[in-house]
Amino acid sequence: MSVEKFNLLSFTGKMKTLHLSWIAFFITFMVWFNMAPLKGAIVDGVGLTLSEWKTLLIINVALTIPARVIIGALTDKFGPRIVYSALMAICSIPCFMFALADSFAQLLIARFALGCIGAGFVVGIRMVSEWFPPKELGTAEGVYGGWGNFGSAAAAFTLPTIAILFGGEDGWRYAVGITGLMSLLFSFVYYKNTTDTPKGSTYFRPKNLGGMEVTSVGDFYLLLVMKTPMYLALALLNWKLSPQGVSLLGEDVTLAIYLGLSALYVYDAYLTYKVNKDLFTTPVAEVHRYSFKQVAVLNILYFATFGSELAVVSMLPAFFAETFELNMATAGLLAGMYAFMNLMSRPGGGLISDRFGRRKTLLILTAGLAVGYFCLSLIDATWPIWLAVVAVMACSFFVQSGEGAVFAVVPLIKRRLTGQIAGMTGAYGNVGAVVYLTVYSVVDTSTFFVVIACTAVLGFVALLFMKEPEGAMTEVREDGSVELINVT
């Protein structure tokens, strides 16, 4: 670990790695969210129906759930430098395909593949954890997450203007294409200017690339339970596209996907068993154990924080427009403040976690989250608009600080599995978004906010079972010697 000071204005050593990583994340989020701000132009340009447009929005997040898990495992195995660079280069291809598409089917295929770029976030979590000591890790991961996350807001602010500058009915194509070009070019910059660890440090890799390692039989069964919601979320997306939903898929295809997901779950469980089968005969030595319960709690918290953020960001402009009878531009600007908070709140959550303890910070922020969403459920046309904006901003502080505090803990559980733990936790954020948006489509807005508040309460209860990370993690070097990695 570097001993240099934490200085955001520095661009050398660990700070250089942090800056390059959040820029990579920023670009991947710009690409992932480059569609929504250009809705009018794309719908008119390609001649889409409203239901086709909604289908594209659903498809955009579909592949991100499994992609985050898979990319997390690849990061642990091959290192973040090569995985991030490859992801940005490869995902520029479907981005260019989307820019050149002239039918719904072409847009759909390109968008489905583009879901993978939403997994870039996971790679940087492992990269940053290799470069920063525990007392700065929350802040560093918060800066990485908060500043990178802003890519979605940057897309919303800049892409419509870029499309207008190019003009004509193809303006949107140039705007989308530019984000793809940024991703392709930056993949080379990232590869050339980063290393997986500081000089002299060991990059610990998992023993197998099949399933996630756990260290007790109870944890093995808990892992299988925690995998289930990810498959159920994909089944929910399938249902949305089925004849019962927007009727994009026929009965036969829908059934085939359900069967495919079931088979995939069984295969996933088998791979997990294969990696962990020795547990059932020889227990893992106490010194090498980690508690998977910690991961499960973080999954639930990220479901409630990032899941609700993704869902709320997509419905907030319309909610403001309808409740206060504003035009869409003003409503979009007010709702955009929610994303702006990310620049401060997420690093803030990490910083508070570094200073005051991981568990205590999460308890306070999760309680604030529940209260915040309950307050949002009370907003109606009788509220002064400034008060509604203040309520939304306050709630977003707890949401995004909570995200920062969750990822202050993720790298402190088991170093060689950090990518996989981050991947699973990140995937739960997307599962949350799918669940909340499905709830939003069947209930009124007030109930929607109450549902999120209830899941935050569930997260608070789960937190009571989480332990404060303390002492050291043990990892075994390739020569068989043991290294103790301090986590406090």
Side-chain angles (χ1 to χ4, degrees):
M1 289 287 170
S2 314
V3 288
E4 63 185 295
K5 285 177 72 170
F6 190 95
N7 174 14
L8 284 173
L9 300 177
S10 161
F11 208 84
T12 56
K14 64 183 180 186
M15 299 311 296
K16 176 183 176 185
T17 303
L18 175 59
H19 286 306
L20 288 169
S21 296
W22 78 253
I23 293 167
F25 177 30
F26 181 95
I27 292 170
T28 61
F29 256 46
M30 264 194 98
V31 173
W32 192 26
F33 291 103
N34 63 12
M35 177 174 71
L38 302 166
K39 177 185 176 182
I42 296 172
V43 169
D44 296 345
V46 187
L48 301 177
T49 64
L50 190 61
S51 115
E52 285 174 338
W53 173 258
K54 283 187 173 171
T55 304
L56 286 178
L57 289 176
I58 294 170
I59 285 295
N60 198 36
V61 296
L63 213 57
T64 312
I65 295 170
R68 284 189 160 183
V69 175
I70 294 162
I71 294 291
L74 291 172
T75 301
D76 285 343
K77 188 72 179 168
F78 299 107
R81 174 187 176 220
I82 195 158
V83 174
Y84 227 154
S85 306
L87 184 73
M88 285 189 284
I90 293 165
C91 285
S92 67
I93 299 166
C95 187
F96 295 137
M97 283 166 57
F98 189 85
L100 297 168
D102 51 18
S103 71
F104 173 61
Q106 289 175 2
L107 287 172
L108 192 72
I109 293 162
R111 212 66 235 177
F112 184 66
L114 265 179
C116 288
I117 204 164
F121 164 67
V122 173
V123 189
I125 292 292
R126 174 83 200 243
M127 179 63 108
V128 172
S129 76
E130 293 290 337
W131 282 81
F132 287 84
K135 66 176 188 299
E136 296 174 351
L137 192 54
T139 313
E141 297 286 14
V143 168
Y144 166 72
W147 293 12
N149 215 316
F150 195 66
S152 57
F157 296 138
T158 59
L159 295 184
T161 311
I162 292 170
I164 290 164
L165 288 175
F166 277 101
E169 57 192 41
D170 285 341
W172 71 269
R173 298 182 187 277
Y174 289 105
V176 170
I178 282 171
T179 61
L181 187 62
M182 285 164 64
S183 184
L184 180 61
L185 294 176
F186 198 75
S187 69
F188 293 102
V189 174
Y190 196 78
Y191 186 76
K192 228 172 150 34
N193 290 285
T194 57
T195 55
D196 288 333
T197 60
K199 207 171 178 178
S201 295
T202 308
Y203 188 82
F204 293 102
R205 300 170 198 275
K207 298 183 187 81
N208 302 285
L209 185 65
M212 192 163 171
E213 291 171 44
V214 287
T215 51
S216 73
V217 175
D219 282 356
F220 172 77
Y221 291 115
L222 181 58
L223 172 57
L224 292 187
V225 169
M226 293 306 290
K227 280 179 182 286
T228 313
M230 296 192 274
Y231 287 89
L232 292 177
L234 292 170
L236 191 58
L237 288 173
N238 187 34
W239 172 77
K240 277 186 169 180
L241 300 175
S242 72
Q244 288 80 38
V246 294
S247 295
L248 177 75
L249 305 174
E251 286 284 0
D252 297 347
V253 180
T254 305
L255 184 62
I257 292 173
Y258 281 135
L259 291 172
L261 285 171
S262 306
L264 201 59
Y265 179 77
V266 172
Y267 180 63
D268 188 3
Y270 165 70
L271 286 179
T272 307
Y273 171 73
K274 215 167 117 181
V275 168
N276 293 297
K277 63 176 185 285
D278 292 346
L279 284 177
F280 293 88
T281 50
T282 43
V284 174
E286 192 64 46
V287 68
H288 293 303
R289 287 190 179 195
Y290 80 95
S291 170
F292 185 76
K293 192 166 60 182
Q294 305 278 83
V295 181
V297 173
L298 295 175
N299 289 173
I300 295 165
L301 292 175
Y302 209 62
F303 179 103
T305 52
F306 189 65
S308 69
E309 182 182 347
L310 279 183
V312 169
V313 162
S314 57
M315 56 69 71
L316 213 51
F319 171 63
F320 268 129
E322 288 154 19
T323 308
F324 298 106
E325 293 173 357
L326 307 168
N327 63 37
M328 273 317 270
T330 313
L333 201 63
L334 289 175
M337 289 179 173
Y338 193 98
F340 250 108
M341 292 288 288
N342 246 323
L343 291 171
M344 304 297 291
S345 305
R346 200 158 173 156
L351 180 68
I352 297 165
S353 180
D354 283 345
R355 294 281 184 278
F356 300 106
R358 314 298 179 189
R359 187 167 173 268
K360 194 193 299 177
T361 301
L362 281 167
L363 280 166
I364 293 165
L365 293 174
T366 309
L369 183 78
V371 173
Y373 276 118
F374 181 70
C375 289
L376 295 195
S377 74
L378 305 173
I379 295 176
D380 58 27
T382 61
W383 282 45
I385 196 160
W386 65 266
L387 190 60
V389 171
V390 168
V392 166
M393 300 277 274
C395 185
S396 81
F397 169 78
F398 286 108
V399 172
Q400 292 156 359
S401 297
E403 293 160 10
V406 164
F407 273 92
V409 182
V410 164
L412 301 176
I413 295 173
K414 197 70 177 160
R415 174 59 63 82
R416 70 173 180 274
L417 305 177
T418 298
Q420 289 172 81
I421 294 169
M424 192 170 181
T425 306
Y428 258 82
N430 287 75
V431 171
V434 171
V435 171
Y436 291 139
L437 284 171
T438 307
V439 169
Y440 181 61
S441 63
V442 292
V443 301
D444 64 7
T445 310
S446 178
T447 313
F448 165 71
F449 286 132
V450 171
V451 168
I452 301 177
C454 291
T455 51
V457 172
L458 182 71
F460 185 87
V461 173
L463 260 172
L464 301 175
F465 296 95
M466 188 181 118
K467 293 191 185 78
E468 177 75 22
E470 53 193 10
M473 300 183 271
T474 55
E475 290 291 2
V476 181
R477 296 195 188 95
E478 283 173 9
D479 64 4
S481 60
V482 173
E483 180 173 327
L484 292 174
I485 302 165
N486 186 27
V487 300
T488 40

